[in-house]
Amino acid sequence: GVFGMYDFDGGDVASTIYYGLFALQHRGQESCGIAVSETNGPKGKVTSYKGMGLVNEVFTEENLEPMHGDIGVGHVRYSTAGASTRENAQPLVLNYVKGTLALAHNGNLINAAELRHDLEYTGAIFQTTIDSEVIAYHIARERLKSSTVEEAVGRACRKIKGAYSLVVMSPRKLVGARDPYGFKPLCIGKRDNAYILTSETCALDTIGATFVRDVLPGEIVTINKDGIKSNLAMHDPKKEARCIFEYIYFARPDSVFDGVGVYHSRIYAGRCLAKDSPVDADIVVGVPESGNAAALGYSMESGIPYAMAFVKNSYVGRTFIKPGQSSRESAVRIKLNVLKEAVEGKRVVMIDDSIVRGTTSNLIVDMLREAGAKEVHMRISAPPFLYPCYFGTDIPSSEQLIAHNRTVDEICKVIGADSLAYLKMDRLKEMANGLPICTACFSGEYPVDPPEEDIRGSYEK
């Protein structure tokens, strides 16, 4: 998740960025960071702080207090490329001939390996193993032959391929860029005399800012003391392919992307499941949090009462985003407990947003049975995952996916449910209100050719 802010009145932005990152914590719990600068101060001075862990663990009053500056960027990370280490935390801060750059990136490049290779052979020294550093280098390099930083960002964006929502801070400007496919969200907000660029609208609500508009796919926006400028040279509506997994899982339900509410999408998916895959049952329950809205939609459509079967420990992060399999499994029982009195003796429809590897689903079905559920019917508000994602969602190689080379009946047996049904593929477009979407992880139809070799995680050693 990315968050950038420029206060034209000269107020300090660090604490607001901190609260903005809090609202984006669901987008990554491995590391976070903030970098700020003073637009009327010395040109090369950037104050930054980053570390491993959650926003409230990394930042304290002591390290936020000295962060003075009216322009800044922040980031929360979960790793899709490069190891989970402190040096890979963002924002990345570069000092170079023209001053400083601080960059926060959400997404994943598919040509990072070759770009990195080319840079290394011209003497570049890399401090990290993430693709975001490749972007930062290219912006810095292009800046030497560009008249403005936004021109340099535009030139760099023409070289990089894949998914990127970027917020770049230069000494006097805040620049936002969204890739031509619009894989990842990015929007503009305003509060008093300050402008904000961020991944999700929920972060604007948290800090009391108003939503101005979405950054369009392929658009580069520049915010300086004169206001906002837009460059649409790379905008091509025929290319658009938003990540459908944002609507299914990633985003908070109170966010809206490109005019479509995430809550509305999830309710709709649940309604579709009730129409397409009905079952006789006593209660409908959602696996928190991302399964809850879809469960409500299933209940509305089917007339089966919606119930709360799981009590969630709010202090445990998202299990899907845990780096290792063993930590993911132990986290499920720490995170969820079944309400025995809600499910005992009942036929239960359980709605979850996805089954990736299947281990979590298997555990949750077991937990419901242990609590006395008579039947457990699983309904998934996404189609089966069959293909890896190269654009910033950690969908592993096909061999690790439970749906790879298995029928729905076989998956049902593995997870131990009485029945299993997935959302139909043709419902995805409806879920996004007809917007062009990327469904590659379900369909194998990639909007841009995937890399020859899957280098995700190859720098982790």
Side-chain angles (χ1 to χ4, degrees), residues 355-435:
I355 306 178
V356 184
R357 300 162 184 85
T359 46
T360 306
S361 305
N362 182 19
L363 267 167
I364 297 173
V365 171
D366 282 352
M367 285 161 69
L368 284 171
R369 292 208 191 281
E370 283 165 23
K374 202 157 63 172
E375 294 172 13
V376 180
H377 301 275
M378 195 149 185
R379 296 292 178 268
I380 305 298
S381 60
F385 276 126
L386 296 168
Y387 304 92
C389 170
Y390 302 100
F391 310 114
T393 304
D394 190 16
I395 308 298
S397 57
S398 297
E399 292 65 46
Q400 291 178 49
L401 296 168
I402 191 171
H404 179 67
N405 286 338
R406 281 192 185 92
T407 64
V408 173
D409 285 345
E410 285 167 345
I411 301 166
C412 186
K413 280 196 184 73
V414 173
I415 62 172
D418 290 284
S419 75
L420 169 67
Y422 288 88
L423 189 71
K424 293 189 177 349
M425 276 295 292
D426 57 5
R427 296 295 199 180
L428 292 175
K429 191 90 182 248
E430 300 167 18
M431 214 179 147
N433 247 13
L435 288 173

Side-chain angles (χ1 to χ4, degrees), residues 17 39 48 53 61 132 147 172 194 223 237 239 244 252 301 303 356-357 361 366 389 405 434:
I17 294 173
T39 54
S48 73
E61 219 169 307
S132 314
S147 55
R172 308 281 185 262
I223 300 168
K239 263 189 166 177
I244 189 63
R252 248 174 53 168
E301 190 64 39
V356 184
R357 300 162 184 85
S361 305
D366 282 352
C389 170
N405 286 338

Side-chain angles (χ1 to χ4, degrees), residues 335-363:
K335 178 173 137 175
L336 293 179
N337 196 24
V338 179
L339 264 168
K340 196 171 177 184
E341 61 195 271
V343 302
E344 199 168 11
K346 303 259 176 49
R347 299 167 300 166
V348 179
V349 181
M350 178 173 83
I351 314 281
D352 204 353
D353 58 85
S354 54
I355 306 178
V356 184
R357 300 162 184 85
T359 46
T360 306
S361 305
N362 182 19
L363 267 167

Side-chain angles (χ1 to χ4, degrees), residues 78 80 108 110 183 243 245 320 356-357 384-404 438-457:
Y78 104 89
T80 55
N108 211 45
I110 54 170
F183 283 114
C243 171
F245 208 47
F320 171 76
V356 184
R357 300 162 184 85
F385 276 126
L386 296 168
Y387 304 92
C389 170
Y390 302 100
F391 310 114
T393 304
D394 190 16
I395 308 298
S397 57
S398 297
E399 292 65 46
Q400 291 178 49
L401 296 168
I402 191 171
H404 179 67
C438 172
T439 61
C441 50
F442 310 124
S443 65
E445 292 168 19
Y446 294 95
V448 53
D449 289 338
E452 301 286 306
E453 51 175 330
D454 185 358
I455 57 110
R456 297 172 305 156

